[in-house]
């Protein structure tokens, strides 16, 4: 859908942009992308259940990326691969969100959800 | 509507994600190419070391063959007749070609880079010994009848190049740095006079404060050429038979 279209459009702009990320910032950019990806999946998950809240999403998006960069930076200073923690956590949440979405979409979740929406306490990882 | 903001935001985030992802991939690939340069340098220096080792081995083989050739020549001389005449011709040709070490009266010219500080603000290059300086000294020596010339132990042949290679001079494909010692066998007085002529080559060099020392001698040795020359392009012209 439009998600794919958006990603493709962004990728094309990235390929043809005349700028490059300098080598020193490369690990930070990588981990920030992962953080953004994770909050992105959280946002899509929430959107599917009509529980999307812009504030939570944006704060998550930028906050995750920021914390990821900070952890990587501290890890480099301490010569300890702290970024591994970030990778593990974001990876886990990514797969969890993805599993939630699958479950939701493939098991008539949309219909039953509207009935249960009052008391739902699902685990959307934002 | 919540969902509408959601979709728009998600769309924008998609674009941003795609952008940074592509940017990161591009940057990593470009940076990897740049950092592979040092690896290239290592690779090249490794190849250089290997080639030098091969060169050593080949040089040793060369020495071995030269010894064998000497043995054959000795045999030819001893066996008398046609063979010994040929052997004598060969010896003479070797002598003129520079393949044998020779000794006799001659002159030694030493050139050293200037040690003075460059105060006149001129180009630094002028205070250093150049290939052109060496060539002119050798030319002068030849003009005054030098029969055998060597530069830093390398016999100067008709095919020897004398060329600047960065801060060093390359002769017979070997590099040497200052000081440069030129030995020439010939009439010492003639050679010295032509070098020390007023506004001759020595006074010109001393203008740039390049230290030139000229020493006459009754007996100096000029080394043999260590190269084993063969002509790949030049072929003897055969006289037409009538």
């Amino acid at each position: 859908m439009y998600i794919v279209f958006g990603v493709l459009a962004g990728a094309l702009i990235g390929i043809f942009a005349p700028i490059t990320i300098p080598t020193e910032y490369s690990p930070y950019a990588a981990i920030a992308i992962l953080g953004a990806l994770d909050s992105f999946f959280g946002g899509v998950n929430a959107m599917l259940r009509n529980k999307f809240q812009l504030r939570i999403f944006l704060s998550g998006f930028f906050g995750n990326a920021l914390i990821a960069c900070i952890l990587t930076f501290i890890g480099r200073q301490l010569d300890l691969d702290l970024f591994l923690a970030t990778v593990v956590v974001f990876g886990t949440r990514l797969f969890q969100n993805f599993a939630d979405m699958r479950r939701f979409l493939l098991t008539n979740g949309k219909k039953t959800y509207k009935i249960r929406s009052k008391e739902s306490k699902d685990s959307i990882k934002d | 509507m919540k969902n509408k903001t959601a979709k728009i935001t998600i769309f924008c985030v998609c674009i941003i994600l795609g952008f940074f992802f592509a940017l990161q991939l591009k940057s990593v690939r470009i940076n990897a190419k740049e950092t592979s340069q040092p690896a290239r340098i290592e690779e090249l220096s490794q190849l250089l070391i290997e080639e030098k080792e091969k060169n050593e081995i080949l040089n040793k083989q060369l020495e071995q063959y030269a010894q064998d050739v000497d043995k054959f020549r000795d045999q030819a001389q001893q066996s008398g007749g046609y063979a010994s005449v040929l052997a004598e011709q060969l010896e003479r040709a070797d002598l003129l070609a520079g393949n044998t070490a020779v000794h006799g009266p001659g002159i030694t010219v030493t050139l050293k880079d200037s040690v003075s500080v460059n105060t006149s603000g001129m180009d630094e290059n002028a205070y250093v010994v150049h290939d052109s300086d060496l060539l002119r000294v050798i030319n002068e020596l030849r003009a005054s009848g030098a029969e055998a010339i060597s530069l830093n132990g390398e016999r100067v042949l008709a095919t020897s190049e004398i060329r600047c290679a960065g801060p060093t001079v390359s002769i017979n494909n070997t590099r040497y740095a200052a000081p440069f010692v030129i030995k020439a066998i010939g009439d010492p007085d003639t050679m010295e006079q032509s070098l020390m002529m007023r506004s001759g080559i020595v006074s010109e060099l001393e203008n740039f404060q390049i230290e030139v020392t000229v020493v006459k001698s009754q007996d100096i040795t000029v080394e043999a050429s260590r190269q084993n020359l063969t002509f790949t392009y030049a072929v003897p012209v055969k006289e037409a038979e009538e």
Side-chain angles (χ1 to χ4, degrees), chain B residues 109 137 195-197 200-207 210 212 214:
Chain B
V109 185
V137 169
L195 284 178
M196 308 293 275
M197 226 171 27
I201 175 69
V202 171
S203 70
E204 240 189 80
L205 289 174
E206 289 186 333
N207 265 344
I210 294 184
V212 185
V214 178

Side-chain angles (χ1 to χ4, degrees), chain B residues 206-220:
Chain B
E206 289 186 333
N207 265 344
F208 289 110
Q209 271 135 6
I210 294 184
E211 297 176 25
V212 185
T213 354
V214 178
V215 176
K216 288 193 289 190
S217 164
Q218 278 313 304
D219 189 79
I220 51 174

Side-chain angles (χ1 to χ4, degrees), chain A:
Chain A
M1 310 173 314
Y2 55 93
I3 295 182
V4 176
F5 181 68
V7 171
L8 277 178
L12 281 176
I13 303 178
I15 292 179
F16 291 114
I19 43 177
T20 30
I21 302 179
T23 341
E24 311 88 65
Y25 298 138
S26 163
Y28 301 111
I31 207 95
I33 291 177
L34 187 60
L37 203 63
D38 162 68
S39 70
F40 168 77
F41 271 84
V44 173
N45 204 356
M47 181 182 76
L48 281 180
R49 298 157 203 258
N50 248 334
K51 284 182 139 223
F52 184 85
Q53 300 196 41
L54 189 64
R55 275 179 287 177
I56 296 187
F57 178 74
L58 281 187
S59 63
F61 187 78
F62 292 109
N64 280 345
L66 192 65
I67 292 184
C69 289
I70 292 180
L71 269 184
T72 325
F73 176 73
I74 296 180
R76 287 190 138 200
Q77 302 304 314
L78 296 176
D79 198 19
L80 189 63
D81 285 341
L82 281 183
F83 73 92
L84 285 179
T86 327
V87 169
V88 168
V89 165
F90 283 151
T92 313
R93 285 163 39 127
L94 207 139
F95 283 110
Q96 258 179 309
N97 271 327
F98 181 62
D100 283 347
M101 281 196 282
R102 275 188 305 121
R103 212 164 287 277
F104 188 76
L105 288 174
L106 298 177
T107 57
N108 283 337
K110 268 193 192 150
K111 297 186 189 151
T112 55
Y113 196 75
K114 296 229 158 85
I115 302 173
R116 288 173 48 201
S117 64
K118 289 262 164 80
E119 37 152 352
S120 48
K121 226 176 86 163
D122 22 20
S123 48
I124 300 179
K125 310 279 186 286
D126 269 318

Side-chain angles (χ1 to χ4, degrees), chain B residues 135-150:
Chain B
L135 285 170
R136 273 157 68 206
V137 169
I138 291 180
N139 204 28
E140 203 62 56
L141 290 169
R142 286 195 175 134
S144 29
E147 290 173 354
I149 303 180
S150 82

Side-chain angles (χ1 to χ4, degrees), chain B residues 20-38:
Chain B
F20 273 107
F21 198 62
L23 196 65
Q24 173 74 347
L25 277 181
K26 193 175 65 168
S27 312
V28 163
R29 197 151 348 129
I30 290 183
N31 289 333
K33 242 187 269 173
E34 281 174 9
T35 49
S36 73
Q37 290 291 20

Side-chain angles (χ1 to χ4, degrees), chain B residues 26-231:
Chain B
K26 193 175 65 168
S27 312
V28 163
R29 197 151 348 129
I30 290 183
N31 289 333
K33 242 187 269 173
E34 281 174 9
T35 49
S36 73
Q37 290 291 20
R40 273 276 296 167
I41 293 178
E42 270 182 40
E43 214 182 281
L44 287 176
S45 61
Q46 185 62 28
L47 283 176
L48 187 63
I49 292 175
E50 279 172 21
E51 288 302 314
K52 279 199 187 157
E53 284 171 8
K54 277 193 216 164
N55 256 354
E56 288 257 342
I57 295 176
L58 289 175
N59 266 338
K60 287 208 183 99
Q61 271 194 347
L62 194 62
E63 275 177 36
Q64 183 63 36
Y65 290 148
Q67 282 175 6
D68 290 341
V69 168
D70 282 338
K71 273 190 224 153
F72 289 138
R73 255 202 254 174
D74 288 338
Q75 277 193 341
Q77 273 191 328
Q78 284 161 16
S79 61
Y82 195 44
S84 69
V85 171
L86 279 184
E88 274 177 34
Q89 268 200 338
L90 186 57
E91 228 184 88
R92 228 180 309 143
D94 261 346
L95 183 71
L96 295 173
N99 284 334
T100 40
V102 282
H103 70 104
I107 192 172
T108 312
V109 185
T110 320
L111 286 93
K112 284 199 210 156
D113 290 336
S114 146
V115 288
S116 64
V117 178
N118 181 5
T119 50
S120 64
M122 265 186 71
D123 181 17
E124 293 277 332
N125 270 329
Y127 289 84
V128 165
V129 177
H130 280 299
D131 50 1
S132 46
D133 305 326
L134 296 169
L135 285 170
R136 273 157 68 206
V137 169
I138 291 180
N139 204 28
E140 203 62 56
L141 290 169
R142 286 195 175 134
S144 29
E147 290 173 354
I149 303 180
S150 82
L151 170 61
N152 277 19
E154 295 283 344
R155 185 69 168 268
V156 179
L157 299 178
T159 47
S160 296
E161 89 287 4
I162 298 178
R163 202 165 37 147
C164 269
T168 57
V169 167
S170 159
I171 168 168
N172 292 340
N173 249 329
T174 337
R175 297 193 177 187
Y176 293 96
F180 297 103
V181 179
I182 302 179
K183 288 196 265 191
I185 296 181
D187 180 10
D189 296 312
T190 325
M191 293 197 288
E192 189 201 26
Q193 276 165 19
S194 76
L195 284 178
M196 308 293 275
M197 226 171 27
R198 206 151 48 112
S199 22
I201 175 69
V202 171
S203 70
E204 240 189 80
L205 289 174
E206 289 186 333
N207 265 344
F208 289 110
Q209 271 135 6
I210 294 184
E211 297 176 25
V212 185
T213 354
V214 178
V215 176
K216 288 193 289 190
S217 164
Q218 278 313 304
D219 189 79
I220 51 174
T221 319
V222 169
E223 301 82 350
S225 155
R226 280 187 290 271
Q227 298 182 298
N228 227 5
L229 284 183
T230 34
F231 281 170

